[in-house]
Amino acid sequence: MAVVQTKPSSTKVTGEELKPVLKQAGLKLAESVVQDFSLLLTNFEAAVDSLPDDREVQPRPDLEKYPRTDIHIPEDNEFGAWASKVTAKCTAPKSNLLAGRTVALKDNVALAGVRCTNGTAMVEWVPEVDATIATRIMDAGAVITGKAACENACMEVISSTSVTGPVHNPYAKGYSAGGSSSGSGRLVATGSVDLAIGCDQGGSVRIPAAACGIVGLKPTLGLVPYTGILGMDATIDHAGPMTKTVRDCALLLEVIAGPDGWDDRQPPVELWDRQPDFVRNVDAVAELPRNSMLDGVRVGVLVEGFQIPGQDQNVAASVRAAAERLSELGATVSSISVPKHIEAAIAWGCSVPASGPRGALLADSIGRKELEFTDRCDLVGDKLTQAQFDALGPGASYMYLAYLWAQKRYGPKLHARCTNLFKAVGDDYDRAFKDCDVLITPTMPCPPGRLAVAGYTDEPLKFMAMTATLLANTSPFNSTGHPAISLPVGFSPASEDPNVKLPVGMQIIGRKYGDTDCLKVAAAWERAFDWKTS
């Protein structure tokens, strides 16, 4: 590869500057070629100097068309659920699909001019761009009323680590609202907003949806563009709707789905026939007679999904009963075994620390064609400072240390090994879908626990033990890309206090791009049964 010098460089690289770089890398160059390579690097610097400003090609919002006002940090943050408040809308919406509706964005979603904490004090950042889905929401007539609190660096599933404070369960103060989209879950459950966006790398939409008694969908990988959202790893990053009802979930999905030309996880625009019609399919189910809403639908109750260590039997019984009731709606319900389901969660737990912190914490997400936050790159180096590390919660601290350990001990091999295993796991799920149309598991194996005191920052082992089982049924489908929705189906006594009743979520998993199947089954159950009395 040759470097073409377009103009004289403002930086001249000398041999004396190159030698320490070589030494740090454990390399040597013959003295006879040091000068040649120094000149080549000088030319490289000239090429860098000649690059145009990338801000000119970033999707910066037209603030006259998409004005935002009243940006502030609220004194009353709804028991921890709000990170920031704003009023953002479109003056000339393209549709009225969400007219009059209010929406909260998880606080890792960029909205220009509004701080984006990502749940942590590690960096202070105010984005200059809007996420694609934020623009689409405003274009549909909705008003974005704020940013919902999320867990520290989006690496926790118990709602006690956000820089903005703990988020309390809407059904029991002092209990977890799930995570990492904790604020989104609570705000929808309490009616503080009509709709919310969550993001999900291992269960961060579905777990808070289950904990808060709402609907939460992790779409098929790539169905919804992740452009303009802080992620962890492009292979597991998903953004999805969190809503009170399945129809609202379908409606919000319809607004935000479809390629945007930035996110390479998505099919090219030319291959996208038309915008998916999720609402029409949900409405069609609701119009059918109760006992035939799911005629011909084969439901597989995933055996391994009920064999998670720490499985609460009240939760298991509630989900089994809810799944069996689908037969009253015309579905056939049977048991399905996918032994690799247990292996998938273990592989996720090895893969994410091996690579995730590189993008999530160090802003280094090379290898994908997607919008990069170059201004945020200036706030993070090639490693965390002590102050940045100290700003992390227990889960994020563990992730970073495991990343350093894995890089030292395994290099790229561990992540590569897990990636190969995920292909085999995904194939096993696909084989299961030859015998069923959807799979069923509990979303969370146990009810939400008590909020950790001060995040257990001085007791990371105790904190991590509380989270160990919560991702077991959700994380596999981030790695394989299958869609999965959490639907509230009942209540379970809290493990710590049988007098406290907390929501139970049933997870419905579909084939890739079978999001409609998940929505139809969820809509039928929701229409036929009252989850609060089931």
Side-chain angles (χ1 to χ4, degrees), residues 35-194:
Q35 186 59 37
D36 282 0
F37 281 107
S38 297
L39 180 57
L40 287 168
L41 289 173
T42 296
N43 289 342
F44 172 76
E45 287 290 345
V48 173
D49 288 345
S50 71
L51 286 173
D53 189 347
D54 73 292
R55 290 179 298 178
E56 296 176 3
V57 300
Q58 292 177 7
R60 292 170 173 245
D62 177 347
L63 294 180
E64 290 188 3
K65 183 178 180 181
Y66 301 99
R68 52 221 57 190
T69 59
D70 195 26
I71 302 170
H72 67 282
I73 300 172
E75 292 184 12
D76 177 5
N77 66 0
E78 176 59 54
F79 289 93
W82 285 115
S84 300
K85 296 294 292 295
V86 65
T87 299
K89 59 186 178 181
C90 180
T91 58
K94 295 179 180 178
S95 77
N96 62 357
L97 286 175
L98 297 180
R101 311 300 287 276
T102 56
V103 181
L105 305 176
K106 184 177 179 179
D107 202 23
N108 66 334
V109 179
L111 188 68
V114 182
R115 69 171 184 165
C116 188
T117 71
N118 200 33
T120 180
M122 194 189 92
V123 297
E124 294 183 4
W125 177 58
V126 178
E128 299 175 344
V129 301
D130 284 353
T132 296
I133 58 175
T135 303
R136 288 178 176 177
I137 286 167
M138 291 186 284
D139 277 339
V143 178
I144 296 172
T145 57
K147 305 290 290 298
C150 61
E151 297 313 295
N152 197 299
C154 294
M155 292 185 182
E156 316 279 2
V157 292
I158 297 175
S159 58
S160 59
T161 67
S162 176
V163 67
T164 54
V167 183
H168 294 261
N169 190 287
Y171 287 89
K173 185 180 178 182
Y175 282 81
S176 173
S180 62
S181 307
S182 45
S184 296
R186 180 181 172 90
L187 291 172
V188 171
T190 61
S192 298
V193 293
D194 299 316

Side-chain angles (χ1 to χ4, degrees), residues 417-456:
R417 179 181 175 190
C418 293
T419 298
N420 292 341
L421 292 173
F422 290 141
K423 175 62 168 65
V425 170
D427 289 347
D428 266 16
Y429 290 128
D430 290 340
R431 278 188 284 271
F433 282 121
K434 293 179 180 179
D435 299 316
C436 65
D437 299 301
V438 295
L439 291 168
I440 298 284
T441 73
T443 307
M444 296 168 60
C446 54
R450 288 191 187 276
L451 285 174
V453 179
Y456 287 149

Side-chain angles (χ1 to χ4, degrees), residues 152-381:
N152 197 299
C154 294
M155 292 185 182
E156 316 279 2
V157 292
I158 297 175
S159 58
S160 59
T161 67
S162 176
V163 67
T164 54
V167 183
H168 294 261
N169 190 287
Y171 287 89
K173 185 180 178 182
Y175 282 81
S176 173
S180 62
S181 307
S182 45
S184 296
R186 180 181 172 90
L187 291 172
V188 171
T190 61
S192 298
V193 293
D194 299 316
L195 315 162
I197 291 294
C199 301
D200 193 314
Q201 284 81 22
S204 290
V205 163
R206 291 158 289 162
I207 288 173
C212 294
I214 65 169
V215 178
L217 172 69
K218 181 203 76 66
T220 300
L221 181 68
L223 179 62
V224 173
Y226 208 80
T227 304
I229 306 175
L230 293 174
M232 186 176 297
D233 184 308
T235 63
I236 59 173
D237 289 333
H238 301 71
M242 300 177 71
T243 62
K244 270 284 186 71
T245 68
V246 176
R247 190 182 193 277
D248 275 352
C249 185
L251 179 62
L252 185 50
L253 181 64
E254 199 162 298
V255 167
I256 62 177
D260 70 346
W262 275 97
D263 189 344
D264 72 352
R265 284 162 282 205
Q266 300 190 277
V269 175
E270 309 82 58
L271 299 182
W272 199 276
D273 293 334
R274 60 184 177 85
Q275 192 74 3
D277 196 352
F278 299 111
V279 176
R280 181 179 61 82
N281 284 286
V282 165
D283 287 346
V285 168
E287 293 169 1
L288 294 171
R290 182 181 186 277
N291 62 356
S292 61
M293 284 193 289
L294 296 179
D295 272 357
V297 175
R298 300 166 300 164
V299 175
V301 179
L302 184 60
V303 173
E304 290 77 14
F306 294 80
Q307 296 176 344
I308 306 302
Q311 175 71 63
D312 182 278
Q313 292 310 307
N314 290 311
V315 169
S318 180
V319 174
R320 285 189 184 280
E324 289 297 332
R325 298 193 78 174
L326 292 169
S327 63
E328 299 175 31
L329 312 180
T332 58
V333 181
S334 61
S335 294
I336 296 283
S337 177
V338 181
K340 288 188 183 297
H341 180 69
I342 303 295
E343 296 177 17
I346 297 171
W348 182 94
C350 294
S351 172
V352 172
S355 65
R358 180 179 175 183
L361 299 177
L362 302 179
D364 183 3
S365 56
I366 61 172
R368 309 298 300 218
K369 293 179 180 177
E370 58 186 358
L371 175 65
E372 302 282 2
F373 298 120
T374 49
D375 57 336
R376 197 170 185 272
C377 291
D378 292 333
L379 306 176
V380 185

